[in-house]
Amino acid sequence: MGQYLPEISSVIAQAFANSISNAVGDGINEDVLSKGLITQNGNPGRIWDILHTDLANSLDPACVVAKPSRRGAWKILPVFDKQTSILFCCMREKNFSLLCHRNLAKQKRHYLFALSKAFNNDLPSLQVRLDVFQDNNNDDSDLVKVAIARITDDLGIPANIIERHALILFHAVDNQLLTLRCCAINGMFEIVDSINWDEFIPDISSAIVDTVEDDMEKSQAYKPKLKLKEKAKSRIDRKSSIAIHQEEEENKNLD
């Protein structure tokens, strides 16, 4: 229990921990293996599909409401806990950090702005932001109402029964969930309250990852080892440099 977050059932916390851990680990690896994919360019988005599906299936519909809600081309899974009247959403730590460094105009277009303004408006501000005073249009009520109406309509619940919004932030590396916390954020994207959920992260030794690594090692063993001449090595170095530059340019366009 936090200062601005009520006591949350360990069943809810465990469901989030299990679903996120599976999605970043065995869930995505099983999906890759079952389809025989030789590349995994779509893994970041597919991980969320697996997470949302697993989470919705693991939660008791008598206790929570969990239904997808569309945000442009992307779908999120808001989860409403009937016992605490909290509306949960998930996000990676690194994505939240990027969102925090966006300018105010872009932040206002994000669904987290609407959720924090609608349900966390009583949370204090931790610091003063200059761009708030530079904003000529401080009346965001219509923007917030439209975004909230879309989410609550998709959930099939009235907005007035939601008492708090909580953001579940997680950090995963190499198919392993490392950190998990439940946070209350204000309209300035500041974390005002936080509850550590690391204790709920399952300790799982993945057989799927071992299988993938073994298959990769076997495939490498049958490849002939060729000696490259200096000119060939030079061409490879140039191509690698070009590829890195192209990847950086592509990432600039990601929203």
Side-chain angles (χ1 to χ4, degrees), residues 19 22-32 43 45-57:
S19 297
N22 175 67
V24 301
D26 279 357
I28 190 64
N29 288 317
E30 287 176 352
D31 189 64
V32 170
N43 276 8
R46 182 59 61 83
I47 284 173
W48 284 101
D49 295 337
I50 295 169
L51 193 165
H52 292 159
T53 303
D54 192 38
L55 185 59
N57 291 337

Side-chain angles (χ1 to χ4, degrees), residues 7-250:
E7 186 173 353
I8 301 168
S9 168
S10 60
V11 174
I12 298 288
Q14 193 66 67
F16 275 100
N18 290 347
S19 297
I20 296 171
S21 179
N22 175 67
V24 301
D26 279 357
I28 190 64
N29 288 317
E30 287 176 352
D31 189 64
V32 170
L33 284 176
S34 66
K35 294 179 173 59
L37 304 178
I38 62 171
T39 62
Q40 295 91 49
N41 293 320
N43 276 8
R46 182 59 61 83
I47 284 173
W48 284 101
D49 295 337
I50 295 169
L51 193 165
H52 292 159
T53 303
D54 192 38
L55 185 59
N57 291 337
S58 64
L59 292 168
D60 185 355
C63 301
V64 303
V65 180
K67 297 179 181 178
S69 181
R70 182 174 293 279
R71 294 294 300 172
W74 188 261
K75 282 189 177 181
I76 62 173
L77 184 74
V79 176
F80 176 69
D81 179 17
K82 298 178 183 178
Q83 182 178 359
T84 60
S85 298
I86 294 179
L87 184 67
F88 297 95
C89 293
C90 283
M91 181 174 283
R92 288 183 182 272
E93 289 273 6
K94 65 178 182 180
N95 290 345
F96 180 69
S97 179
L98 290 172
L99 181 60
C100 291
H101 289 88
R102 285 182 172 182
N103 61 46
L104 185 62
K106 288 187 176 181
Q107 286 182 342
K108 286 185 176 183
R109 294 198 295 269
H110 200 277
Y111 68 90
L112 283 184
F113 176 80
L115 290 172
S116 61
K117 294 293 286 186
F119 309 119
N120 293 353
N121 202 36
D122 60 313
L123 269 58
S125 298
L126 303 181
Q127 60 183 354
V128 177
R129 278 182 51 170
L130 295 177
D131 56 353
V132 173
F133 297 102
Q134 294 169 355
D135 183 22
N136 294 324
N137 182 19
N138 291 319
D139 185 8
D140 306 306
S141 56
D142 290 340
L143 182 70
V144 171
K145 286 179 181 178
V146 170
I148 296 302
R150 185 182 298 114
I151 293 173
T152 54
D153 285 349
D154 289 336
L155 284 173
I157 62 173
N160 60 9
I161 68 172
I162 302 173
E163 296 182 3
R164 177 70 73 207
H165 168 254
L167 180 63
I168 311 301
L169 293 174
F170 67 93
H171 176 56
V173 176
D174 294 334
N175 302 102
Q176 180 69 45
L177 177 61
L178 300 181
T179 66
L180 184 68
R181 57 177 175 158
C182 178
C183 305
I185 65 170
N186 61 23
M188 296 171 65
F189 292 85
E190 297 172 320
I191 297 176
V192 181
D193 198 3
S194 178
I195 302 175
N196 190 306
W197 280 1
D198 287 354
E199 63 182 291
F200 297 102
I201 298 176
D203 185 14
I204 300 174
S205 178
S206 174
I208 299 296
V209 174
D210 292 339
T211 301
V212 173
E213 290 177 349
D214 288 344
D215 289 345
M216 290 179 65
E217 289 177 0
K218 289 177 182 177
S219 65
Q220 291 294 332
Y222 290 102
K223 290 183 179 179
K225 296 181 179 180
L226 302 177
K227 292 184 178 180
L228 299 178
K229 294 182 179 180
E230 290 302 320
K231 288 186 177 180
K233 291 181 179 180
S234 178
R235 285 197 298 270
I236 291 175
D237 291 340
R238 287 200 301 271
K239 287 182 179 180
S240 298
S241 177
I242 293 172
I244 292 172
H245 176 72
Q246 288 176 337
E247 183 178 356
E248 290 175 347
E249 290 299 315
E250 290 172 358

